[in-house]
Amino acid sequence: MELGYYDGQFRDINEKVIPIDERGHQFGDGVYEFIRVYKGTPLALSQHLDRLERSAKALLIELPFSRTDLEKIIEEGIQKSTLEEADIYMQVTRGISPRNHLFPDTKAELSMTIRHPRQMPDEAYEKGISTLLLEDERWANCYIKSLNLLPNILAKQAAASKGCKEAILVKDGYITEGSSSNVFVIKDQILYTTPATKQILCGITRTNVLACAKEEGIQVREQHMTIDFIKQADEAFVTSTSIGILPIARIDEQHLSSTRPIIDKLTNAYQIFREQQVHIQS
Ligand code: PMP
């Protein structure tokens, strides 16, 4: 059963619960996390909660629950939902207070949804996806997983309107990341990805895929990449918690090779990593 959570209680997923003065609603004044549950276990939970803490701290939001309590709430939600495979979104906002830009004295609010997972069709992994290069119009602090996603939404929509599954964002001539993913390129057996500066969200999948690559003996370079560089890739892919490793078949009009030896190797390694993690955590 899909579930919602707000104001300290699990609720029917369709219940309307957000008060009009909720700052998440009024200002997008908050942070979020997305966690994927496999076999009843939230993958890489501690990495996600670490990032939630970092994001909240960067926005001077005090989390309304301790780490242990957050873990308990997530665990309770998974059990109540009885979903073995699930998508969990958590939002922490600066709370509820009559509209005023200044921080209120109120306590931060946690909301959460636990739903059946959204899944990319197998075909997308086999064939790879089409992507569109677009100007990165976001702010200077993209390392914060903030609720403000307007430029990301607009970019994803613009990509979709051209039949593309992801927008690859470009700032000052260099690739930053996808609208909801991190970008990787393989050239001459070396794996490249944009360095985790303030200009990108340092994806949990990015971190874990880089670790898998190193385990596999693949040389890794965190380096800024130009448009020409990515278009001349031997292989390229995007990563995120929901999609894992998703090959790129096309960037604008440029088609990439459909043979992907390193992506295949990494996909295998990441699958094993995921199963091990779930086993260790459960
Ligand atoms: N960058 C952006 C902008 C994202 O929205 C996401 C997905 N939330 C990612 C990267 C990938 O992050 P993760 O691997 O932690 O899901």
Side-chain angles (χ1 to χ4, degrees):
M1 171 188 37
E2 296 193 326
L3 283 179
Y5 177 95
Y6 191 72
D7 194 21
Q9 278 181 42
F10 286 99
R11 297 154 184 280
D12 185 290
I13 189 75
N14 294 314
E15 196 180 326
K16 292 180 178 151
V17 283
I18 305 291
I20 203 85
D21 283 334
E22 161 63 72
R23 287 178 68 95
H25 165 66
Q26 291 280 352
F27 294 108
D29 186 6
V31 295
Y32 78 106
E33 265 305 319
F34 171 68
I35 304 167
R36 179 68 160 78
V37 176
Y38 294 91
K39 298 192 177 129
T41 303
L43 178 70
L45 180 61
S46 66
Q47 286 173 291
H48 285 284
L49 292 181
D50 282 348
R51 187 171 63 185
L52 182 70
E53 284 171 6
R54 284 198 306 274
S55 296
K57 196 168 173 216
L59 297 184
L60 307 174
I61 292 175
E62 199 176 321
L63 292 181
F65 293 103
S66 68
R67 177 75 166 237
T68 319
D69 285 345
L70 280 175
E71 285 166 356
K72 277 194 198 139
I73 293 166
I74 292 166
E75 191 51 48
E76 192 188 340
I78 294 170
Q79 280 186 8
K80 273 191 195 297
S81 75
T82 70
L83 296 180
E84 285 282 297
E85 306 288 309
D87 280 356
I88 300 186
Y89 277 92
M90 305 170 69
Q91 295 86 12
V92 177
T93 74
R94 211 180 298 275
I96 308 152
S97 183
R99 196 178 190 285
N100 182 341
H101 283 58
L102 293 172
F103 291 0
D105 292 332
T106 49
K107 203 166 139 261
E109 281 288 338
L110 170 69
S111 57
M112 183 158 56
T113 55
I114 304 177
R115 295 181 191 261
H116 294 290
R118 279 176 308 170
Q119 213 104 346
M120 272 278 176
D122 289 347
E123 197 193 12
Y125 293 92
E126 286 151 20
K127 291 196 172 161
I129 57 160
S130 294
T131 61
L132 186 71
L133 292 169
L134 284 173
E135 186 64 27
D136 188 342
E137 296 179 340
R138 300 173 305 160
W139 71 328
N141 294 310
C142 295
Y143 72 103
I144 302 170
K145 203 163 166 64
S146 129
L147 289 177
N148 284 272
L149 289 173
L150 266 180
N152 307 60
I153 291 169
L154 293 175
K156 181 82 95 188
Q157 190 63 38
S161 73
K162 297 244 158 71
C164 294
K165 281 272 180 289
E166 179 59 306
I168 296 180
L169 306 177
V170 181
K171 194 162 215 136
D172 303 326
Y174 292 94
I175 308 302
T176 51
E177 59 184 331
S179 72
S180 61
S181 60
N182 292 114
V183 176
F184 290 75
V185 163
I186 295 141
K187 186 79 190 160
D188 299 330
Q189 315 280 322
I190 300 172
L191 181 65
Y192 293 86
T193 196
T194 308
T197 63
K198 286 188 168 188
Q199 287 191 340
I200 68 162
L201 182 77
C202 183
I204 307 300
T205 322
R206 174 190 181 280
T207 302
N208 294 333
V209 164
L210 285 177
C212 287
K214 285 173 191 162
E215 285 265 306
E216 291 296 309
I218 298 167
Q219 212 183 317
V220 167
R221 286 198 195 146
E222 293 180 58
Q223 189 174 300
H224 294 285
M225 301 178 278
T226 62
I227 293 174
D228 280 350
F229 184 76
I230 188 173
K231 284 192 172 172
Q232 285 162 21
D234 296 332
E235 306 172 50
F237 60 96
V238 286
T239 63
S240 81
T241 300
S242 56
I243 57 177
I245 295 174
L246 185 59
I248 296 175
R250 183 161 68 83
I251 303 159
D252 289 350
E253 297 311 317
Q254 181 68 49
H255 289 267
L256 300 187
S257 166
S258 56
T259 354
R260 309 181 179 109
I262 295 196
I263 293 184
D264 292 346
K265 198 171 174 182
L266 274 174
T267 302
N268 260 332
Y270 184 64
Q271 167 85 13
I272 292 166
F273 162 84
R274 224 159 57 180
E275 281 164 13
Q276 282 170 347
Q277 284 296 309
V278 167
H279 186 70
I280 294 165
Q281 283 175 239
S282 64

